Amino acid sequence: MSEDVERLLIQFKDEAGEALGSPFDVPISITPEKLQLVCNALLQKDEPMPLAFYVNDVEMVSALASHLAGQAVETEKVLDVVYQPQAVFKVRAVTRCTSSLEGHTEAVISVSFSPTGKYLASGSGDTTVRFWDLSTETPHFTAKGHKHWVLSISWSPDGKKLASGCKNSQIFLWDPVTGQQIGKPLNGHTKWITWLCWEPLHLNSECRYLASSSKDCTVRIWDTVLGKCEKILTGHTQSVTCVKWGGDGLLFTASQDRTIKVWRAQDGVQCRTLQGHAHWVNTLALSTDYVLRTGAFDPAEATVNPQDVRGSLEDVKDKAFKRYNQVRRGCGAIRSRAGLVIPGHFTKKIILLNYHTGLSHRTVLDEFLFPPTPRLIASASFDKSIKIWDGKTGKYLSSLRGHVSAVYQISWSADSRLLVSGSSDSTLKVWDVKTNKLAIDLPGHADEVFAVDWSPDGQRVASGGKDKCLRIKPETPGTHGSKEVKGKTHTYYQVLIDTRDCPHISQRSQTEAVTFLANHDDSRALYAIPGLDYVSHEDILPYNSTDQIPIQHELFERFLMFNPSKAPPFIARDTLRAWQEKNHPWLELSDVHRETTESIRVTVIPFYMGMREAQNSHVYWWRYCIRLENLGNEVVQLRERHWRIFSLSGTLETVRGRGVVGREPVLSKEQPAFQYSSHVSLQAPSGHMWGSYRFERANGTFFDVRIPPFSLESKKDNSPNGFLPGPFASLV
């Protein structure tokens, strides 16, 4: 665009191409914020809504002049500006794993929240389906009936039924309120179930019909009220990998025979076969997937405690229809990378995935997903990356990299701003799609993550994997107005250890000293202050003493002064205040992580120690204190440790070894606890650690105890140049 252009004529249009008002003249310096004011005025809504603007299919994120820089613009022509309503609420990124849900005895293969986020279900290789109580984050019901791995689960869009399909070719229906089976198993497929999909709520408010695809090359439509097969769709010559029930009454099926077939659900007639892929079609995505999944539920109306959508069947159906039409209007035809044009006549947007080389990924594509606002598309692959594409043109936009192994599954937040991914590297990652950057790294699983789902209300992320556990991560405080997720508060004290007690502390190792980084010019990496420790409030036993020096420690008199007029009769000296002011960032306790496995409680307290330069790179140091407690009656001994250490630089390190700090402590009723501390350094300002301990019982059997995942976060403050002010330097 030439520099002498100062004003342009623009025309607002919605995603369907319908003009809003008449063209009008604007300065090229106009920003998206000012366009919001103008567009909302033209829309004449009661409440202004957040809007995104697109010029030439590219989102406008800065002034119009910079957006059009380098483009040929004719001032005589009207410039189309497409506006797109954004979510009126904002989902915050989940920041931590609050719960590890135990119960499954084999790998968790699938997890899914109900349409409102009220219920959570999981399917496992142990042949069970489990329902989980999200208020207490504990198992609610265990649904038994399958004879083989539960491969697929799917909620009805009214949230009143869950369908599950297994490798034994059976389909079961479950009631989430009671955990009981509904009717008899749906039998008919001869090979395992690959996908389950319900008829949309706006087409049938009773959610009566269910479609299933199978490796036996067929698709079946089931009447879940009568418990019988209504139609069998045959035509594919190899395994049917996916089935989707569109909002206009059409079924879309993908197959290993390299085709997509379109069927009328009403009579089972095949409408069209779409060809062009060179290998298996692994999955299929509709731009209306999210609105069809959630039915009448609007995430903008979500509450802290999720509730079912209320109203008559007609009211619910009508609300679902209005939500579907709103999304449907903005969707048109799109070209797949296989060279196929999918007409909007069939579905308002459909993408085909090529099993091997589709969409520029270097290897197998696992999942392809539109966000709730279907402007973008995300694809996950075995090549360790996630790619973002333009949902209208199919144009490649960006790559999200950070996983160090294959990405298995992805899930969008309800506001389309965030994306969570699960990987075989045992981590989950939350991505900010606006900035194309990693927002939060979420370790915690001890092995590969097979399944992940973000609740439709935006409040939680659930994941499951090879370690047989589900993990739940809540969003950060501040979402949806007054909602807030709170953690428990644990009070800890910084204490001096009486030197007379040190010989009797047999169940502690290295905790009778706190370490600090040395000065930059010192040859030693770490210094230690002896007799300094951290103790939880519940472990404190108060007592009174008339001694002026009740604790024998060389720092006591230098830090504290006897003052009988005070209660307690001691006051801090200036040297203590100065020392604390200097070293507070490296002594401050911010997070305590706890997890209990088979009566063994593990408590982890991490501390940031500072940063040092080494060989033209920055090395960040942390210390962590770990307390092991036997809450049961059985005598056990710690034999092995297994750590996973993830650095923001992208490295994932595994550390295995005998015992801890050179010891293999025994935890018994007489000596129920053991505490130690250690250190870790990374060449990145943040990371995560998690892992497990292997314990041996008295009868010679072994069991693993999980170490709760904890963050390694650096601080912006400069590292202390010396860990003690002048007169105390000689103490260490």
Side-chain angles (χ1 to χ4, degrees), residues 217 235-241 253-261 273-275 277 279-281:
C217 310
H236 284 294
T237 58
Q238 292 190 42
S239 173
V240 183
T241 55
T253 58
S255 170
Q256 290 180 359
D257 64 11
R258 301 176 294 175
T259 68
I260 301 288
K261 292 186 183 294
T273 297
L274 307 171
Q275 297 177 325
H277 282 287
H279 212 286
W280 299 352
V281 183

Side-chain angles (χ1 to χ4, degrees), residues 496-502 531 549-556:
L496 295 176
I497 301 175
D498 196 309
T499 56
R500 294 169 293 184
D501 293 332
C502 288
I549 306 177
I551 296 177
Q552 290 187 11
H553 192 287
E554 55 188 334
L555 292 181
F556 187 87

Side-chain angles (χ1 to χ4, degrees), residues 109-127:
I109 300 171
S110 53
V111 296
S112 181
F113 286 97
S114 63
T116 63
K118 183 177 180 179
Y119 303 107
L120 172 65
S122 60
S124 169
D126 64 8
T127 75

Side-chain angles (χ1 to χ4, degrees), residues 426 428 443-449 463-465 467 469-471 473 690:
S426 77
L428 274 78
H445 283 281
D447 214 319
E448 298 178 78
V449 180
S463 59
D467 61 0
C469 289
L470 266 79
R471 293 187 180 269
K473 299 91 180 167
W690 68 100

Side-chain angles (χ1 to χ4, degrees), residues 224-498:
T224 61
V225 174
L226 299 179
K228 68 175 186 178
C229 179
E230 284 283 309
K231 300 175 185 68
I232 303 176
L233 310 183
T234 59
H236 284 294
T237 58
Q238 292 190 42
S239 173
V240 183
T241 55
C242 182
V243 58
K244 293 292 181 77
W245 203 316
D248 296 329
L250 296 173
L251 284 171
F252 302 88
T253 58
S255 170
Q256 290 180 359
D257 64 11
R258 301 176 294 175
T259 68
I260 301 288
K261 292 186 183 294
V262 185
W263 319 75
R264 284 204 306 262
Q266 184 177 7
D267 53 17
V269 172
Q270 181 179 323
C271 303
R272 183 172 293 186
T273 297
L274 307 171
Q275 297 177 325
H277 282 287
H279 212 286
W280 299 352
V281 183
N282 199 33
T283 187
L284 176 153
L286 305 180
S287 62
T288 52
D289 277 341
Y290 180 83
V291 72
L292 294 178
R293 172 190 179 181
T294 52
F297 172 70
D298 186 345
E301 301 172 0
T303 58
V304 177
N305 296 313
Q307 302 295 324
D308 291 327
V309 177
R310 297 177 181 177
S312 66
L313 291 180
E314 284 303 313
D315 290 341
V316 170
K317 181 178 180 180
D318 183 60
K319 187 174 182 179
F321 182 69
K322 289 179 179 178
R323 294 189 67 239
Y324 170 71
N325 265 343
Q326 185 177 3
V327 174
R328 181 177 180 271
R329 287 182 66 249
C331 303
I334 187 164
R335 182 179 298 272
S336 82
R337 288 288 170 170
L340 292 173
V341 176
I342 313 302
H345 165 70
F346 282 104
T347 176
K348 292 305 168 179
K349 205 168 289 176
I350 179 174
I351 296 294
L352 310 182
L353 300 193
N354 207 334
Y355 185 83
H356 277 303
T357 58
L359 300 177
S360 299
H361 280 290
R362 294 193 300 270
T363 183
V364 176
L365 280 161
D366 299 304
E367 190 167 25
F368 212 54
L369 208 59
F370 284 92
T373 306
R375 168 65 67 170
L376 302 172
I377 313 163
S379 58
S381 170
F382 274 31
D383 68 5
K384 312 175 190 177
S385 74
I386 300 139
K387 293 187 183 293
I388 305 298
W389 312 84
D390 187 295
K392 280 189 173 293
T393 65
K395 179 183 177 183
Y396 165 78
L397 298 177
S398 62
S399 291
L400 307 178
R401 298 188 182 278
H403 284 294
V404 295
S405 192
V407 183
Y408 287 151
Q409 203 166 45
I410 53 178
S411 184
W412 286 93
S413 64
D415 62 357
S416 304
R417 294 181 175 98
L418 300 170
L419 182 74
V420 64
S421 56
S423 166
S424 65
D425 66 11
S426 77
T427 69
L428 274 78
K429 297 184 188 297
V430 180
W431 308 89
D432 186 327
V433 181
K434 194 82 169 181
T435 63
N436 293 320
K437 293 182 178 179
L438 178 67
I440 300 292
D441 191 48
L442 296 170
H445 283 281
D447 214 319
E448 298 178 78
V449 180
F450 292 147
V452 61
D453 192 27
W454 204 315
S455 63
D457 62 2
Q459 293 192 52
R460 297 176 177 89
V461 167
S463 59
K466 198 173 180 179
D467 61 0
K468 310 172 189 177
C469 289
L470 266 79
R471 293 187 180 269
I472 292 184
K473 299 91 180 167
E475 63 179 354
T476 55
T479 310
H480 294 112
S482 61
K483 289 193 299 185
E484 184 174 358
V485 180
K486 296 183 178 179
K488 294 181 180 179
T489 299
H490 299 278
T491 302
Y492 276 72
Y493 302 95
Q494 192 180 119
V495 300
L496 295 176
I497 301 175
D498 196 309

Side-chain angles (χ1 to χ4, degrees), residues 527-543:
Y527 280 104
I529 300 179
L532 191 63
D533 201 0
Y534 292 88
V535 180
S536 66
H537 178 77
E538 53 264 35
D539 289 338
I540 296 291
L541 297 176
Y543 75 99

